[in-house]
Structure formats: C-alpha cells, structure tokens
Amino acid sequence: MSISNEDLINAAMEARDNAYCHYSGYSVGAAIIDDKDRLHVGCNVENAAYNLGNCAEAAAIAAMVQEGGKRIARIAVAGGRSEPGPCTPCGGCRQRINEFGDKNTVVIVIDDSNEWQEYSIDALLPASFHLD
Ligand code: THU
C-alpha cells in the first residue's frame, strides 16, 4: 500500500480546503487511489442554481478518469461545516463510486472522534444497479 489511509484522509481534507460551498457552507473533499496507485482529489463545487452543484466524489472520479485511472482502489471523503466530520457519500455518489469500484474497493470516512472508519462499497450500496 503506497499511501496510508491516514494520508489519504489528509489528502481529502486538503482538497476540502478548496471547496466552493457558498450556499450550504458544507465543504467536502475526496481523495482516490486508483488501480495504478495514483492519487486524485476533488472538492464540492456549488452553484447559484442549486441543482448544478457537484459533489467532491464526482470531481475526484472525473479527475481519475481524465488521467486514465480505471478503478477506485480506495476513496477517502472528509466533509463538514467547520471541522471535517463524518461524511459518508450521498446515494448518488455511492452509485458513482460503484461504477468504478469492485469487491475490494474501500470507502474511508472520518468519524466523530476524528478517527477513520472504512466500509466496502458493497456495504454502502447493497444490491446495486449495474449494466453489463
Ligand atoms: N456533498 C458532497 O460533496 N458529497 C457527498 O457525498 C455529500 C454532499 C456536498 C454537496 C453539497 O455541495 C454539500 O455537500 C451539502 O450537501
């Protein structure tokens, strides 16, 4: 494992610092390690037309795809209004992660005590929708 889960969380928190969350005040950062062990990050970007806002996970996934990454090995998410707290991915982002995940994909979030917690994407999105 090239980068520790703590460092991946730190990368998510650093990405979170760039969030544009003018409307909700809730900043989120996401950091992905892809199948080639490369790091990709993203933050949420909101818009005055609220429904045009993008989640941090979507931004990190777009960065991964653009750089040729095929699969998400691990993704860390950090979000909150002041200090980063628990931010388990929203339903839509679970589906997005699932698209590029597999049975080994790990989703890492920080918990209330600032420790990280990990889940499989299958635990977060059981019986998920796929097209073969
Ligand atoms: N948000 C994310 O970036 N990821 C999630 O998984 C949950 C929600 C963002 C969207 C919006 O900009 C803000 O958090 C409040 O919902």
Side-chain angles (χ1 to χ4, degrees), residues 21 24 26 28 44-46 54-57 77 87-90 93:
C21 55
S24 72
Y26 191 92
V28 186
N44 55 333
V45 181
E46 299 183 349
N54 285 330
C55 284
E57 297 92 323
V77 184
C87 178
T88 47
C90 73
C93 286

Side-chain angles (χ1 to χ4, degrees), residues 17-47:
D17 290 342
N18 292 322
Y20 179 77
C21 55
H22 191 70
Y23 303 98
S24 72
Y26 191 92
S27 41
V28 186
I32 290 173
I33 291 294
D34 72 12
D35 49 300
K36 294 181 185 142
D37 236 16
R38 294 178 307 187
L39 175 69
H40 311 277
V41 299
C43 61
N44 55 333
V45 181
E46 299 183 349
N47 193 280

